[in-house]
Amino acid sequence: MRDNFFKRIFVAVLAVTGCDAGSEIDEGERGGLLDSIGRPLGPVSRRIVEANRELEPGLRLLARVEVQPDELLQIYEPAPGELLISLAGAPVNGPRLKARALAGRSLPELWADAAGEAAMPAALAEVADALGDAPVVGPRADLPLAAALPDPSPAVAGYCDTAFFKHPESACEVGGGLERDYAVCVEQVTSASGWVDHAFKTRGTVCPNRGDVVLRLKTGGGGDGGWAVPQHTHNSVIYTNYSCTTDDPDIYDTHCRWVNVWVDAGGPRRFHFRMVADVE
C-alpha cells in the first residue's frame, strides 16, 4: 500500500486547488475578504489574496486560513494526486506554523493546527478523506537561520531585511535530515532562478525588499504556479515528489523529473531568494 501511495501522489508545500471550491470561498467573501472559517483577513493577508486571485480557479483553491495576523495558509489541489500548500505573510513574531510543528503532519492535523475545531470546507474534507493519515508536510527539523544583512537595502529597511532573517524561512538548508544536493541562495538580487533534476524535495522562498515580485514553480510533471509576493512579505513553497523514492526504474524515470523555481521581477526590484533541493 505504501508503494502504491508513493507512486501516485505528489505533494507540494509553501514555500506550495474540483470545480466548486474556489466559488465556494468567493460566496463567503462577498461582504469582504474572509478566510474559509468566516474570519476577516488582516491587511497583509488581504494584499496577498487580492494579488493572487487569478490563480484560484486553475489551481483549485480548497481553503485558506489566517493562522494569526499576517500569516496565511492556503491549500490547493491543482490536479488529482497533487497537493499544494502555500505559507505566506509577514508575522511580526514569526510564523505560528513552524518547521518542527509541521513535521509529518497529515492534512487533518495541519487543518487543526491552523483552524482549531472549525470544520473543513467540503472540498478539503474530500481530499483529506482520500489522503487519510498520509503526511502532507515532510519531516523537517528546525532549520538554521541565515545571517542578517550587515547593510540593509537602501530602499526601505523592513521585514525582509530584518525579521526575515530571524525565521527558518531564511535558511539555505532542506531540513529534516535531508541532504542539500542543490542550492541557490542569494541576497538583494534583481533576478534569480534555479533548476534541478530528479529532486525528492525542493524548497523555494522569496522575500522582496524593494517592490513586489512573483515566485514561480514549474515541474516536469506539469505543475505550474506563480504567486504574487508583496514587498516585505515572504512566500515559501516546498514541493515533494514521492515518486523519486521508488525502486522501480520505470516509475522513477517517468515521474521523478525536473523542478524549476524562479522569480519574476524586473526593473529596480530587489529580493532575497532561496532554492534548495535533496536529489534522490
Side-chain angles (χ1 to χ4, degrees), residues 23-111:
S23 59
E24 204 173 275
I25 292 176
D26 288 339
E27 286 289 333
E29 292 178 352
R30 288 184 175 177
L33 282 175
L34 309 176
D35 68 8
S36 297
I37 57 178
R39 299 179 302 197
L41 297 178
V44 171
S45 296
R46 189 182 309 118
R47 286 176 61 202
I48 293 170
V49 169
E50 290 174 344
N52 292 289
R53 280 290 197 176
E54 294 181 359
L55 286 176
E56 294 178 8
L59 290 177
R60 292 191 68 229
L61 177 67
L62 299 177
R64 70 165 56 96
V65 178
E66 187 168 57
V67 179
Q68 65 170 322
D70 301 340
E71 181 180 0
L72 188 66
L73 166 69
Q74 297 187 98
I75 305 174
Y76 307 83
E77 187 194 25
E82 296 185 18
L83 199 66
L84 182 63
I85 300 174
S86 173
L87 294 169
V92 173
N93 296 316
R96 206 184 87 194
L97 295 181
K98 296 181 180 179
R100 189 176 298 280
L102 291 177
R105 307 296 277 172
S106 67
L107 189 52
E109 288 172 329
L110 177 62
W111 175 260

Side-chain angles (χ1 to χ4, degrees), residues 27-224:
E27 286 289 333
E29 292 178 352
R30 288 184 175 177
L33 282 175
L34 309 176
D35 68 8
S36 297
I37 57 178
R39 299 179 302 197
L41 297 178
V44 171
S45 296
R46 189 182 309 118
R47 286 176 61 202
I48 293 170
V49 169
E50 290 174 344
N52 292 289
R53 280 290 197 176
E54 294 181 359
L55 286 176
E56 294 178 8
L59 290 177
R60 292 191 68 229
L61 177 67
L62 299 177
R64 70 165 56 96
V65 178
E66 187 168 57
V67 179
Q68 65 170 322
D70 301 340
E71 181 180 0
L72 188 66
L73 166 69
Q74 297 187 98
I75 305 174
Y76 307 83
E77 187 194 25
E82 296 185 18
L83 199 66
L84 182 63
I85 300 174
S86 173
L87 294 169
V92 173
N93 296 316
R96 206 184 87 194
L97 295 181
K98 296 181 180 179
R100 189 176 298 280
L102 291 177
R105 307 296 277 172
S106 67
L107 189 52
E109 288 172 329
L110 177 62
W111 175 260
D113 290 342
E117 296 181 357
M120 286 185 177
L124 181 63
E126 183 178 347
V127 172
D129 184 62
L131 290 177
D133 295 331
V136 296
V137 181
R140 294 178 62 199
D142 281 337
L143 300 177
L145 306 183
L149 291 179
D151 182 19
S153 166
V156 180
Y159 174 83
C160 288
D161 286 330
T162 55
F164 174 68
F165 290 95
K166 301 175 183 178
H167 302 161
E169 286 73 19
S170 70
C172 197
E173 301 293 336
V174 184
L178 300 176
E179 296 180 358
R180 191 187 76 164
D181 296 314
Y182 177 89
V184 176
C185 301
V186 291
E187 317 294 355
Q188 297 202 58
V189 294
T190 57
S191 64
S193 177
W195 178 294
V196 63
D197 286 317
H198 301 300
F200 165 57
K201 186 179 289 289
T202 304
R203 181 171 68 91
T205 303
V206 68
C207 199
N209 60 4
R210 187 191 300 173
D212 303 341
V213 302
V214 177
L215 177 66
R216 295 194 58 86
L217 181 145
K218 190 170 185 178
T219 76
D224 189 355

